[in-house]
Amino acid sequence: MNHPVIGQYIPADSFLHRLDPRAKLVFVFVFMMIVFLAKNAAGYSLLVGVALSGVLLSRIPLPMILRGIKPVLYLIILTALLHLGMTRGGDVWWELGPITVYEQGVVQATVISLRFLILVLMGTLLTLTTSPMELTDGLERLLCPLTRVGVPAQDLALMMSIALRFIPTLWEEMDKIMMAQRARGADFDSGHLLRRVKSYIPVLIPLFISAFRRAEELALAMEARGYRGGKGRTRIRELRWKKEDTILLVVLAVLSISLWWLRG
């Protein structure tokens, strides 16, 4: 609970926790598409405001959320550095030997990094405030219309839920393997980049073996309990659409229209 990762659920009594999972899924999926409508500072300010409002409504401390998305921050920084060094255009802002940073590179790095951070933050809020079981039920209900054309909605929802559930499990497993390797003298922090990459090979191999073993154990457990897909299944929890869920979708519609208007 002190070191959450993407995919981990944190129980709490907040506005976001009480929302219907279908409403949250629709909001996040549409939000991830309309993020690309932002073309100026006003649009990105609006998106940042919505993301920060979600953090406040979740009642999850911001440092805890930042620890959860910390692994992705390295990828964001790397992406920003690539844009700074490779994008040309505008005035020269900084020059050191063969490295030249242009104005357009700074703008592009800022936009891409901010967009990526907002997307990761919203996806993290979804998993932090929605249990895997609720995600499964919500995805299954949203995909139910596709069963008429032969799409196995129940199986797809279960696969997505299991994938999200195993992210923190595999993360903890990797941490244990790395501590065991360090106890045997392994060094993951020194040397050049290629050496550091090679040092992780002894971690990845047992991690993959552990993942396959867990998948096999889960499959055997499901078969032993008579799981046969969605046929004839009943639900102990029934999803109920509330007024707050409708308000959330209204906010989504207003946000989409506002971003489209701000583009001009």
Side-chain angles (χ1 to χ4, degrees):
M1 296 298 293
N2 294 327
H3 301 280
V5 296
I6 297 175
Q8 181 174 336
Y9 170 65
I10 298 180
D13 183 18
S14 70
F15 177 79
L16 292 187
H17 284 78
R18 293 191 295 269
L19 288 174
D20 191 289
R22 294 169 293 181
K24 288 188 279 188
L25 285 168
V26 171
F27 183 91
V28 171
F29 289 157
V30 176
F31 185 88
M32 288 182 174
M33 292 186 288
I34 65 175
V35 162
F36 298 95
L37 293 177
K39 298 296 182 182
N40 48 41
Y44 281 103
S45 299
L46 184 59
L47 291 173
V48 171
V50 172
L52 294 180
S53 299
V55 173
L56 294 176
L57 292 174
S58 68
R59 292 188 178 179
I60 298 174
L62 182 59
M64 187 176 293
I65 296 176
L66 293 179
R67 284 197 297 268
I69 64 177
K70 182 180 178 181
V72 189
L73 292 179
Y74 296 110
L75 181 60
I76 295 175
I77 295 173
L78 177 61
T79 304
L81 292 176
L82 289 175
H83 280 283
L84 285 174
M86 300 178 65
T87 304
R88 301 289 186 267
D91 300 331
V92 176
W93 279 33
W94 184 69
E95 188 173 1
L96 179 63
I99 302 175
T100 305
V101 177
Y102 292 85
E103 178 184 1
Q104 192 62 33
V106 175
V107 173
Q108 192 71 8
T110 304
V111 168
I112 296 299
S113 301
L114 187 58
R115 184 181 294 171
F116 199 0
L117 184 61
I118 292 173
L119 290 173
V120 174
L121 179 59
M122 295 303 292
T124 304
L125 283 177
L126 173 65
T127 56
L128 289 177
T129 60
T130 314
S131 67
M133 192 62 66
E134 290 178 337
L135 280 176
T136 303
D137 292 341
L139 283 170
E140 183 178 340
R141 297 295 183 84
L142 291 175
L143 295 175
C144 268
L146 299 179
T147 56
R148 299 179 181 178
V149 294
V151 176
Q154 294 86 357
D155 295 335
L156 286 175
L158 181 64
M159 289 165 55
M160 294 179 187
S161 175
I162 291 175
L164 287 173
R165 173 61 186 86
F166 266 76
I167 290 176
T169 302
L170 293 178
W171 192 268
E172 294 175 3
E173 190 74 21
M174 185 181 70
D175 189 45
K176 293 178 182 178
I177 294 173
M178 290 182 65
M179 288 191 294
Q181 295 289 349
R182 283 195 175 100
R184 292 169 173 81
D187 185 8
F188 302 102
D189 304 321
S190 63
H192 52 79
L193 180 60
L194 184 59
R195 181 178 178 181
R196 292 185 183 184
V197 173
K198 288 183 178 180
S199 66
Y200 277 90
I201 295 178
V203 176
L204 294 177
I205 294 175
L207 182 63
F208 278 116
I209 294 175
S210 174
F212 289 132
R213 185 181 68 250
R214 287 181 181 275
E216 184 179 7
E217 291 174 353
L218 178 61
L220 292 175
M222 292 172 66
E223 289 182 359
R225 287 162 175 77
Y227 179 78
R228 294 293 183 270
K231 284 189 175 182
R233 290 185 62 198
T234 57
R235 298 178 178 87
I236 193 173
R237 291 170 303 276
E238 290 293 336
L239 300 179
R240 298 183 183 277
W241 191 271
K242 300 180 290 296
K243 179 177 65 176
E244 292 82 357
D245 305 310
T246 304
I247 294 174
L248 182 67
L249 296 188
V250 171
V251 171
L252 178 63
V254 173
L255 177 63
S256 304
I257 296 172
S258 300
L259 287 174
W260 185 265
W261 180 73
L262 289 172
R263 289 187 66 181

